[in-house]
Amino acid sequence: MPDPNGFLRYDRRLPARRPVPVRISDWREVYPPAGEELIREQATRCMDCGIPFCHDGCPLGNRIPDWNDLVRTGNWDAAVESLHATNNFPEFTGRLCPAPCEAACVLGIGGGQPVTIKQVEVEIADAAVARGGLRPRPVPAPTGRSVAVVGSGPAGLAAAQQLARAGHAVTVYERDDALGGLLRYGIPDFKLEKQHIDRRLAQLAAEGVQFRTGVDVGVDVTAEQLRAEHDAVLLACGALQGRDTPETPGRQLRGVHQAMAHLVAANRVVAAAGEGRPALAVLPDGTPIDAAGKHVVIIGGGDTAADCLGVAHRQGAAGVHQLDLYPEPPQARDAARDPWPTWPWVLRNYPAHEEGGGRVFAVAVQEFVDDGTGQVKGVRIAEVRVEKRDGRRIVTPLPGSERELPADLVLLAIGFEGTEQQPLLEQFGVRRNSRGAVDARPDWQTDADGVFVAGDMHRGASLIVWAIAEGRAAAAAIHSYLGGVGTLPALVDPARQPLAAR
Ligand SMILES: Cc1cc2nc3c(=O)[nH]c(=O)nc-3n(C[C@H](O)[C@H](O)[C@H](O)COP(=O)(O)OP(=O)(O)OC[C@H]3O[C@@H](n4cnc5c(N)ncnc54)[C@H](O)[C@@H]3O)c2cc1C
Ligand code: SF4
């Protein structure tokens, strides 16, 4: 029985973020631990609704009211158990998820204050570590069946853990030098310090998962070899094909880069520093890329752009502008457009935005301006009107609105076009669809029998919570394909979409 008056007694409160001047001088996470008193107070706000709409917002089906009440009553061990029943990696989602569950919380109706679900989640996840570590689960007798998982992002790792816990022999193949997918070198440490990934990897290894890094499947090992060695294959290669803008004049200039090139280079430097190795931020071909002392322009309005902003400030940029094609969203939910409990279009202020930089909305780059030596010195932008006609996006520059912004470094964070075109696809006999993703049948198999797909590679660039949900569901399908005993939990099917009004 929850506290019936909790939400009347307490307002929604988040822990204070570390002060901006302090946090931009290091790469540590922005949020310090919240403290038990605040989290128990916030969990007390949950009403344990008869119909908990927060469940519908979350593709993992997290038992939110259950663990809120367990935290309220100080029952941390049971809360840890309840949270892990539906989510393999709550320390990732608790830190990084945009929290569709909070958008769907009943306390948010009419502009109210939803429960701080994600903050409660992260504190439970950290309590698991503080109270004895992430202990490996006992695994059953081996089934004698083996699975190859290609890609070590949250989708691949969630599937690997589920399958290992069902007794299958699992090998994760990762082409990068370290495991974790985008969480490792895509997402900066100020959002997710990497010890969280390492602790989980140690747990997976103790549960029997084998890891092979530096193996590019399709190049270093063929699909045929993988099929010969394993009884099933899960492709979880992400959606890492960055969208570009080759038609914009000046795109070829030095200093104009894909955002991911900048993020990966910066995150590798932080990783090297953690190991006591000095390193420079460089592109794969050795070209230096660093925002120090530069005027930086970031094109795009999502997670990737905000991460570039935080990185640029920590590297010591002279100034940063973030450009968005779309008009500034409203501060609060427009109920006519996005009624509760759907995910609303509102202005999202990431912690990186309070660290500085200017946001410019409803503009498009007309040209990257050459300094005469082949190096970018600015971007010429115009205000634009964006319309949808016959399902197509039409961008019209407004006459007389052009101006130039200084720029020595321009980062393209304008989205992803699905999974990369790479040899592995042809070798396994799977194709990219019109969105650049790989289709799955209702049982998560691709067009190739025994070859399954999950995460961004199937859904297109999405969220960690969806990657974990799809990894778990694909693991359940693989388990039954292999004739495993019983069933594994699966909350989503390949056709499942986020809550939407239309
Ligand atoms: C900069 C950035 C910030 C983000 N921030 C957030 C956030 O704050 N919150 C959130 O919820 N989501 C965020 N996302 C999205 C989130 O990271 C992804 O949705 C999620 O990581 C997808 O997981 P995945 O396992 O499907 O793929 P990925 O994490 O992309 O992992 C795929 C892995 O497959 C490997 N691989 C590919 N091909 C091969 C091959 N041939 N052989 C071997 N290995 C291969 C890749 O190297 C990679 O490690 C962000 C994305 C980006 C780019
Ligand atoms: S919708 Fe909100 S108040 Fe209701 S059970 Fe879920 S978290 Fe608690």
Side-chain angles (χ1 to χ4, degrees):
M1 174 66 188
D3 180 338
N5 297 318
F7 72 99
L8 297 173
R9 279 192 286 132
Y10 303 117
D11 286 337
R12 176 184 163 100
R13 275 201 303 144
L14 287 170
R17 296 193 264 266
R18 293 197 296 130
V20 170
V22 176
R23 70 186 199 231
I24 63 166
S25 64
D26 64 36
W27 294 87
R28 308 294 308 274
E29 281 177 12
V30 164
Y31 282 98
E36 183 164 345
E37 195 187 337
L38 174 66
I39 291 307
R40 286 182 68 168
E41 171 195 293
Q42 291 300 304
T44 302
R45 296 186 66 241
C46 175
M47 303 185 292
D48 191 9
C49 301
I51 300 177
F53 277 90
C54 50
H55 280 199
D56 293 313
C58 177
L60 285 166
N62 280 338
R63 300 170 185 170
I64 295 163
D66 290 9
W67 38 259
N68 273 336
D69 203 49
L70 291 165
V71 167
R72 177 183 74 85
T73 52
N75 216 334
W76 288 92
D77 287 336
V80 167
E81 196 60 34
S82 173
L83 180 55
H84 283 89
T86 57
N87 187 352
N88 298 68
F89 313 129
E91 66 280 22
F92 303 161
T93 45
R95 284 181 168 76
L96 297 168
C97 192
C101 55
E102 292 187 16
C105 172
V106 171
L107 281 178
I109 297 178
Q113 302 179 331
V115 174
T116 57
I117 300 170
K118 163 177 139 126
Q119 198 62 43
V120 177
E121 179 183 21
V122 80
E123 297 300 327
I124 300 172
D126 289 354
V129 174
R131 303 167 85 82
L134 299 175
R135 283 186 290 267
R137 296 250 170 108
V139 285
T143 59
R145 313 308 297 273
S146 110
V147 184
V149 174
V150 186
S152 67
L157 293 180
Q161 185 164 57
Q162 293 296 94
L163 289 163
R165 286 178 174 178
H168 305 298
V170 182
T171 307
V172 176
Y173 295 84
E174 170 56 58
R175 69 182 174 192
D176 224 326
D177 62 353
L179 300 156
L182 280 172
L183 277 53
R184 176 67 64 178
Y185 294 130
I187 294 178
D189 286 51
F190 56 80
K191 278 170 64 179
L192 179 80
E193 290 176 17
K194 306 311 169 194
Q195 74 268 18
H196 303 299
I197 309 175
D198 296 335
R199 279 196 199 109
R200 271 300 163 189
L201 291 171
Q203 185 193 42
L204 265 73
E207 290 170 354
V209 177
Q210 305 275 325
F211 295 110
R212 291 188 55 194
T213 51
V215 180
D216 190 343
V217 174
V219 177
D220 302 317
V221 35
T222 64
E224 203 180 335
Q225 286 170 308
L226 229 59
R227 272 176 163 293
E229 278 178 38
H230 302 279
D231 300 303
V233 178
L234 173 66
L235 301 179
C237 301
L240 302 167
Q241 185 65 54
R243 184 167 292 135
D244 213 313
T245 176
E247 70 289 350
T248 307
R251 167 62 185 93
Q252 79 294 345
L253 293 175
R254 288 195 310 280
V256 182
H257 300 284
Q258 282 285 345
M260 286 307 291
H262 180 233
L263 287 176
V264 171
N267 292 333
R268 281 187 182 280
V269 172
V270 177
E275 294 163 11
R277 286 187 288 117
L280 285 177
V282 290
L283 300 174
D285 67 3
T287 311
I289 178 169
D290 194 291
K294 293 189 177 143
H295 291 283
V296 181
V297 168
I298 302 164
I299 305 174
D303 273 329
T304 309
D307 290 357
C308 287
L309 179 64
V311 166
H313 281 128
R314 282 161 183 75
Q315 288 181 335
V320 191
H321 282 99
Q322 189 189 339
L323 312 183
D324 201 321
L325 193 60
Y326 292 96
E328 183 168 349
Q331 297 281 344
R333 183 195 287 274
D334 173 354
R337 180 197 148 116
D338 308 308
W340 174 89
T342 62
W343 180 245
W345 182 62
V346 290
L347 181 66
R348 295 193 195 280
N349 288 314
Y350 297 82
H353 290 118
E354 82 188 2
E355 294 165 3
R359 290 166 98 172
V360 190
F361 291 94
V363 292
V365 174
Q366 306 299 296
E367 182 190 357
F368 301 107
V369 185
D370 194 339
D371 74 350
T373 70
Q375 160 70 38
V376 70
K377 70 158 187 172
V379 291
R380 195 161 50 76
I381 58 172
E383 290 171 25
V384 293
R385 190 175 53 244
V386 184
E387 297 159 290
K388 272 239 159 113
R389 270 188 238 145
D390 303 328
R392 287 178 51 236
R393 189 175 70 182
I394 311 287
V395 180
T396 314
L398 304 183
S401 67
E402 287 195 6
R403 63 191 157 110
E404 194 173 314
L405 295 175
D408 318 299
L409 177 64
V410 178
L411 302 170
L412 306 178
I414 50 180
F416 294 87
E417 292 184 328
T419 202
E420 292 156 283
Q421 189 66 56
Q422 53 167 317
L424 152 155
L425 296 178
E426 199 182 331
Q427 289 181 17
F428 277 111
V430 299
R431 276 174 306 171
R432 296 162 86 236
N433 61 23
S434 57
R435 294 181 301 110
V438 172
D439 288 328
R441 297 184 232 157
D443 66 355
W444 294 96
Q445 281 188 81
T446 61
D447 288 342
D449 285 338
V451 180
F452 297 72
V453 64
D456 278 8
M457 189 175 190
H458 161 255
R459 176 163 288 275
S462 178
L463 297 175
I464 293 161
V465 70
W466 278 99
I468 298 173
E470 291 209 355
R472 288 169 66 86
I478 293 170
H479 180 67
S480 59
Y481 172 82
L482 296 176
V485 177
T487 54
L488 300 185
L491 206 83
V492 295
D493 61 50
R496 168 91 180 260
Q497 293 298 323
L499 270 182
R502 53 189 172 269

